[in-house]
Amino acid sequence: MLAYAIRRLLLIIPTLFGIMVINFAIVQFAPGGPVEQAIAEMQGLASTGTTSRITGGGGQEVGGGVSRQLTATDTVTSKYRGAQGLDPDIIKRIEKQFGFDKPAYERFILMMKNFAVFDFGDSYFRDRGVVELVIDKMPVSISLGLWTMLLVYLISIPLGIAKAVRDGSKFDVWTSGIIIFGNAIPSFLFAILLIILFAGGRYFDWFPLRGIISDNFSELTTWGKITDYIWHMTLPILSMVIGGFAGLTMLTKNSFLEEINKQYVVTARSKGLTETRVLYGHVFRNAMLIIIAGFPSAFVGILFTGALFTEIIFSLDGLGLLGFEAAIKRDYAVMFGTLYFFTLLGLLLNLIGDLTYHFVDPRIDFEARGS
């Protein structure tokens, strides 16, 4: 397995590079880049008499008051929307600040060189480093992701096993109805329903509507901090669990049903082994393989993008919301920095998933399959 793990680690490099190339190329064709965003911001600020926070080549700020008035004989043809009426020198300064004075391939090469040493630069519009932003938003996303994954697995695996063992019984039918209900309602609609019912929307005002802690969190006792945190996270986590447990429950049930009907289970029963010994001594290890395989991608999905609607609805400032705002504002530093980091994290977690495969069932030898 050591040779297999090394090959997979080496394969991460071209895979990551290919993903970054494709996304960088796609973004180049999207309208409204950071230069256009800065121009639009500056034009809007100029109309109110204030100065845009766009610095020139010498570090000075350039805004509505810096641009000269164009005369009737001036002709400005710009590739940027909204740039008409601006001094071309100002546009060049904005391009230089965002690195758009260089060809696309040079910008990509420079970006990848910096990313290789985990230098993600600064956000274009937040005046903060990308790493600082990610670290600042990480607690919210980790709270949502870890608790959601924990509850989903704690509910889905025992429920799926129970449904497989009692296949066709009344218990299986009634729980299938609950699963259909959970599958039919998107998590964001369930979040809105929870707000209406329990967060002062219409009926009860039992839970807070925003944030993961109260304003006086630092003044609370240790137990008070724990209860305050749970109090804030209850509704967001419930809204995410309802949409996640249904699919995993059915996956667990079908995986166990497939294993239960195999010949080795019949043989184990014929030897006089108890149902518990057959189920957890033989079936469990084989049936759990497919569930383990899906854990890395599910975790990264919930951590980075899966909680987007939940973060918006409950006003939780996490990574999902950060990525969404970066895409809207064309904040390429944040977009590509977070894409690089979470793609790398996902590839590493996939490798860990394969190694876990081997740990759960040593008969699975990826190295032998590769040869």
Side-chain angles (χ1 to χ4, degrees):
M1 285 298 291
L2 179 60
Y4 171 78
I6 293 174
R7 285 201 303 270
R8 283 289 302 272
L9 286 173
L10 294 176
L11 188 60
I12 286 177
I13 298 174
T15 304
L16 182 60
F17 183 81
I19 292 173
M20 296 300 297
V21 167
I22 293 172
N23 283 273
F24 186 85
I26 292 174
V27 167
Q28 302 312 304
F29 294 100
V35 175
E36 289 176 305
Q37 293 282 339
I39 290 173
E41 178 188 353
M42 191 170 67
Q43 292 280 47
L45 290 173
S47 65
T48 61
T50 58
T51 304
S52 174
R53 293 183 59 82
I54 306 299
T55 59
Q60 72 276 17
E61 290 186 346
V62 294
V66 178
S67 62
R68 63 181 175 84
Q69 297 294 323
L70 298 178
T71 64
T73 60
D74 287 326
T75 302
V76 176
T77 302
S78 177
K79 58 184 177 182
Y80 302 111
R81 290 185 303 173
Q84 288 74 17
L86 285 180
D87 191 332
D89 291 336
I90 294 178
I91 297 177
K92 290 180 180 178
R93 292 176 184 175
I94 297 175
E95 287 180 329
K96 186 174 182 180
Q97 178 177 351
F98 292 117
F100 276 71
D101 56 331
K102 302 180 181 68
Y105 72 91
E106 288 188 15
R107 287 187 278 118
F108 178 78
I109 293 174
L110 179 61
M111 179 184 74
M112 292 304 296
K113 285 182 178 178
N114 292 333
F115 284 4
V117 294
F118 294 97
D119 179 10
F120 299 112
D122 297 327
S123 168
Y124 288 166
F125 302 105
R126 290 177 179 255
D127 295 327
R128 297 178 65 186
V130 174
V131 174
E132 183 184 354
L133 280 173
V134 170
I135 292 175
D136 186 44
K137 314 299 181 185
M138 190 75 79
V140 174
S141 295
I142 288 179
S143 294
L144 290 174
L146 287 180
W147 286 116
T148 300
M149 290 298 297
L150 178 63
L151 290 176
V152 165
Y153 272 74
L154 286 178
I155 295 172
S156 300
I157 293 177
L159 181 59
I161 295 174
K163 285 176 65 63
V165 173
R166 299 172 177 84
D167 185 40
S169 65
K170 290 184 178 180
F171 173 82
D172 184 35
V173 173
W174 281 104
T175 53
S176 293
I178 298 174
I179 290 172
I180 292 173
F181 175 79
N183 241 342
I185 300 182
S187 59
F188 70 91
L189 286 181
F190 191 69
I192 295 173
L193 176 63
L194 290 175
I195 290 175
I196 294 174
L197 292 176
F198 303 114
R202 185 171 182 179
Y203 296 99
F204 304 103
D205 191 8
W206 292 348
F207 295 94
L209 186 58
R210 63 182 63 237
I212 62 172
I213 56 175
S214 300
D215 294 335
N216 63 336
F217 183 79
S218 59
E219 303 172 2
L220 300 176
T221 62
T222 301
W223 177 248
K225 290 179 179 179
I226 294 174
T227 54
D228 182 75
Y229 171 77
I230 295 175
W231 182 49
H232 281 78
M233 296 301 295
T234 298
L235 295 187
I237 291 174
L238 280 179
S239 69
M240 295 179 65
V241 168
I242 194 67
F245 89 98
L248 185 60
T249 300
M250 294 308 300
L251 178 64
T252 304
K253 176 190 174 182
N254 294 334
S255 179
F256 272 79
L257 276 178
E258 182 181 357
E259 294 296 323
I260 287 173
N261 294 324
K262 288 184 177 179
Q263 184 61 40
Y264 75 90
V265 177
V266 178
T267 303
R269 286 170 175 166
S270 66
K271 291 181 178 181
L273 296 179
T274 63
E275 283 297 316
T276 302
R277 180 72 182 276
V278 171
L279 184 63
Y280 293 101
H282 294 77
V283 176
F284 186 82
R285 184 175 62 180
N286 296 324
M288 286 296 293
L289 290 176
I290 190 172
I291 299 169
I292 293 172
F295 177 80
S297 58
F299 179 74
V300 174
I302 290 179
L303 185 64
F304 187 44
T305 58
L308 172 59
F309 289 119
T310 303
E311 290 179 9
I312 293 175
I313 292 172
F314 289 98
S315 301
L316 302 175
D317 195 8
L319 291 174
L321 188 59
L322 174 67
F324 175 74
E325 291 179 348
I328 294 297
K329 294 182 179 180
R330 302 298 192 272
D331 195 340
Y332 288 172
V334 175
M335 286 174 59
F336 290 118
T338 52
L339 173 66
Y340 180 90
F341 175 76
F342 283 100
T343 301
L344 179 60
L345 178 62
L347 293 172
L348 290 174
L349 285 176
N350 281 328
L351 174 58
I352 293 174
D354 287 347
L355 297 177
T356 307
Y357 255 146
H358 180 72
F359 176 76
V360 173
D361 190 350
R363 296 173 299 173
I364 297 178
D365 191 349
F366 293 100
E367 188 173 354
R369 291 187 178 189
S371 61

